[in-house]
Amino acid sequence: MVQRFSTSQQMMLRRTPVVKAAPKEEHSAHTISQRIRTLKKIPPELLPVGFVVAVAVAFAGYSLINKLFSDKTLRLSRSSGRD
């Protein structure tokens, strides 16, 4: 006689998934100089992209700071007297 399982019984009979150990971090015991040497692995094609992104972030920071200090109409705190 063949025993048939219902859907709920099949769910209970599933195998427990195997949990693999997490791989060790590549730089777990390295010094700073060893980490700096790994920068040589960066492909040279990405250097111009990195330069452009760095310039854009620097310009955005400059623009933000310049706006905060030079714009007299910008309200940086609550008005006193109003609630």
Side-chain angles (χ1 to χ4, degrees):
M1 177 162 94
V2 176
Q3 185 179 10
R4 297 198 168 230
F5 293 109
S6 68
T7 312
S8 62
Q9 287 175 335
Q10 287 177 351
M11 296 286 282
M12 292 179 359
L13 295 176
R14 286 188 178 173
R15 293 180 116 196
T16 304
V18 178
V19 179
K20 295 181 180 179
K24 287 190 173 184
E25 186 180 341
E26 185 179 333
H27 302 293
S28 59
H30 291 224
T31 61
I32 293 174
S33 61
Q34 288 172 328
R35 290 183 187 201
I36 290 173
R37 273 187 242 133
T38 61
L39 292 176
K40 293 180 182 177
K41 294 180 183 177
I42 296 175
E45 298 87 16
L46 294 180
L47 293 177
V49 174
F51 178 74
V52 169
V53 169
V55 168
V57 169
F59 184 71
Y62 170 76
S63 297
L64 175 67
I65 291 171
N66 190 27
K67 179 75 171 177
L68 291 176
F69 285 111
S70 65
D71 190 3
K72 301 300 178 194
T73 62
L74 187 65
R75 195 172 91 175
L76 298 175
S77 61
R78 289 185 177 188
S79 299
S80 60
R82 284 191 179 175
D83 209 5

